[in-house]
Amino acid sequence: MDKADVVVVGAGPAGSTFAYHIARQGWNVILLEEHPLIGRPVQCAGLVSQRVLDMAGTSKMVRHHLGGATIWGPAMHPLKFQAGETRAHVISREELDFLLAERAARHNVSIRTNCKFRRISAPSTATRPTMTVEVETPGGNTEIETRLLVGADGVASTVARKLRLHRPIEILPAFEADIPFPAAAQDEVEIFLGRHLAPGFFGWSIPDGEGNVRVGVGTSARQGVLAIDGYRQLVRTMEKIHKSKFPGPIRTIVSGIPVGKVPKISTDHGLLIGDAAAQVKPLSGGGIFTGMRAAEIAAEVAHQALDAGDLSAARLRPYDTKWEEELGEEMERALYFRRLFMQLGDRELDRLLEVLRDTKLVSTIVAFGDIDFPTVTVRELLRQSPALVRLVPKAVSAYFRRRKDLAPDVLAS
Ligand SMILES: Cc1cc2nc3c(=O)[nH]c(=O)nc-3n(C[C@H](O)[C@H](O)[C@H](O)COP(=O)(O)OP(=O)(O)OC[C@H]3O[C@@H](n4cnc5c(N)ncnc54)[C@H](O)[C@@H]3O)c2cc1C
């Protein structure tokens, strides 16, 4: 039977980042990926901040830069922002995954593609400090004995279930397609709001810098519009804006975005990171930055636990605490603002954009805009605009007053 100090399931950004950081400390790591090729299929729009490039240690996967946004409300009156400088990067997600896995492999991580984690065949016990995991391969099932199992296996995490850790509160269905059509403004992301196309979330169009737009929709499953129908509606809307018929897509993505708070992300001999732990920004659905940062924190804690020869839940618990300290507040605020956003009907959404059209507020959005910490901007807007506060239930102002002194420390770093 194979043996490894750590088995990581899933070679996405979270899994490969964790594998790299823990292997650098000298631990023996096996990284399992169920697909034959790392990075495929792509299930992402590939919009990231500079922080992601810094954590990846490369910008090779960057295809394009964005410095502005246009938000379309249900009545189709645009609200535009332009920073005049790069605020987000459009990447090849396939290449990001590949580069991260390659970096892990350079540090002796044994990457096994076509290997699917099935179950824990023998759990650790008080007298047995390792567990055995069963892996399905094209040649039949095999087993690996390990001290630590890390679930980086995405939104439908099998590891989370096998470790008996709770699942995210809500999974937002999403549909995206790459359409070979030049965007109207090459350095802008377009956001589309409205209950007819994306109830409980939004639609987007992102130029990829290579002559295509990545057009997608996320919806709240509870609100009765299928993501594919929302997408079709969005394409019709965009065709009206561009006064032109769109060609068919060259690639489509169907996936889910986990939104909510998972109560525990560590247990005896087990950790969850990335989408498996619902470490996704609730207002945007972005999970690359949060998943990679969580992987870095988790690797630090795991290294200390392995070093101490103690992989108990108590020893791994600092991962939960450190994650909470660093990003918990932003996630909690974002979940709250998302709940408020979901209460807005189409008329209120249009009114919201009308209020935001104020030049001072537009400048605030440009000055504070940060795709990883959107609630900092929301908080600042609410501070400046009584008209905005009046739009949403009174609860927001109470919440805002309570939270006004909290700012994420990570912003300073
Ligand atoms: C339509 C859409 C657009 C998005 N756009 C953006 C965006 O623009 N920016 C952003 O930051 N985020 C975006 N996201 C979110 C982002 O894609 C995820 O948050 C991110 O991929 C999570 O990384 P991860 O490593 O946790 O999981 P994943 O990237 O999902 O990787 C999990 C890996 O585990 C593998 N796996 C699963 N089960 C097993 C198993 N049993 N055994 C072995 N391997 C297994 C999978 O094959 C996969 O490779 C988007 C999501 C969707 C759905």
Side-chain angles (χ1 to χ4, degrees), residues 72-91:
W72 298 90
M76 300 312 295
H77 296 143
L79 167 63
K80 283 183 171 288
F81 318 106
Q82 186 46 256
E85 60 180 22
T86 296
R87 287 298 178 87
H89 305 277
V90 183
I91 59 164

Side-chain angles (χ1 to χ4, degrees), residues 10 13-14 33-35 43-47 93 117 152-153 274-275 286-288:
E33 170 53 52
E34 65 178 336
H35 289 105
Q43 293 186 319
C44 183
L47 192 68
R93 173 57 201 272
F117 165 85
D153 50 341
D275 276 19
I288 299 177

Side-chain angles (χ1 to χ4, degrees), residues 44-48 52 93 201-202 204 257-259 275 278-291 323 331 371-372 374:
C44 183
L47 192 68
V48 298
V52 167
R93 173 57 201 272
F201 213 56
F202 60 91
W204 61 89
I257 299 169
V259 171
D275 276 19
Q279 287 161 329
V280 171
K281 292 170 274 177
L283 289 176
S284 68
I288 299 177
F289 160 66
T290 39
W323 161 259
M331 301 287 273
I371 62 171
D372 293 330

Side-chain angles (χ1 to χ4, degrees), residues 45 47 66 90 188-190 204-208 212-215:
L47 192 68
L66 303 182
V90 183
E188 279 185 6
V189 56
E190 287 180 286
W204 61 89
S205 169
I206 300 172
D208 72 355
N212 309 305
V213 277
R214 300 175 184 173
V215 177

Side-chain angles (χ1 to χ4, degrees), residues 37-301:
L37 293 172
I38 305 283
R40 287 200 203 167
V42 171
Q43 293 186 319
C44 183
L47 192 68
V48 298
S49 66
Q50 180 62 35
R51 293 182 188 93
V52 167
L53 312 192
D54 295 344
M55 284 190 284
T58 176
S59 55
K60 266 194 202 166
M61 63 293 194
V62 173
R63 295 290 180 272
H64 194 43
H65 308 279
L66 303 182
T70 299
I71 304 184
W72 298 90
M76 300 312 295
H77 296 143
L79 167 63
K80 283 183 171 288
F81 318 106
Q82 186 46 256
E85 60 180 22
T86 296
R87 287 298 178 87
H89 305 277
V90 183
I91 59 164
S92 156
R93 173 57 201 272
E94 184 179 341
E95 194 172 346
L96 171 73
D97 286 19
F98 179 79
L99 290 167
L100 293 175
E102 193 188 42
R103 179 175 70 166
R106 278 201 307 273
H107 286 79
N108 297 325
V109 171
S110 167
I111 301 183
R112 314 228 175 137
T113 52
N114 263 329
C115 285
K116 181 174 182 161
F117 165 85
R118 299 298 308 202
R119 63 189 189 103
I120 299 166
S121 43
S124 59
T125 62
T127 52
R128 186 173 180 263
T130 59
M131 64 167 80
T132 308
V133 298
E134 189 181 301
V135 179
E136 185 186 303
T137 76
N141 288 5
T142 62
E143 289 192 320
I144 309 172
E145 191 183 329
T146 187
R147 296 164 71 196
L148 178 64
L149 175 65
V150 178
D153 50 341
V155 60
S157 177
T158 311
V159 176
R161 268 182 281 125
K162 301 299 176 189
L163 288 174
R164 295 177 194 281
L165 289 169
H166 289 274
R167 301 302 300 127
I169 300 162
E170 190 183 2
I171 293 179
L172 308 179
F175 186 95
E176 188 187 281
D178 286 6
I179 301 178
F181 190 85
Q186 273 303 321
D187 68 339
E188 279 185 6
V189 56
E190 287 180 286
I191 302 290
F192 298 84
L193 304 176
R195 291 190 160 264
H196 59 303
L197 60 88
F201 213 56
F202 60 91
W204 61 89
S205 169
I206 300 172
D208 72 355
E210 297 176 327
N212 309 305
V213 277
R214 300 175 184 173
V215 177
V217 161
T219 62
S220 172
R222 298 171 193 153
Q223 298 199 24
V225 174
L226 294 176
I228 174 98
D229 291 337
Y231 163 80
R232 289 188 183 119
Q233 181 64 41
L234 174 55
V235 169
R236 283 195 289 273
T237 303
M238 290 181 70
E239 285 177 338
K240 267 191 215 153
I241 295 171
H242 290 273
K243 299 187 179 59
S244 179
K245 183 116 185 84
F246 279 16
I250 49 175
R251 178 171 69 181
T252 58
I253 296 170
V254 184
S255 193
I257 299 169
V259 171
K261 197 168 170 179
V262 176
K264 263 177 82 188
I265 48 181
S266 64
T267 182
D268 287 321
H269 298 263
L271 298 174
L272 297 181
I273 48 177
D275 276 19
Q279 287 161 329
V280 171
K281 292 170 274 177
L283 289 176
S284 68
I288 299 177
F289 160 66
T290 39
M292 288 176 71
R293 182 64 197 125
E296 291 180 346
I297 299 170
E300 225 177 274
V301 174

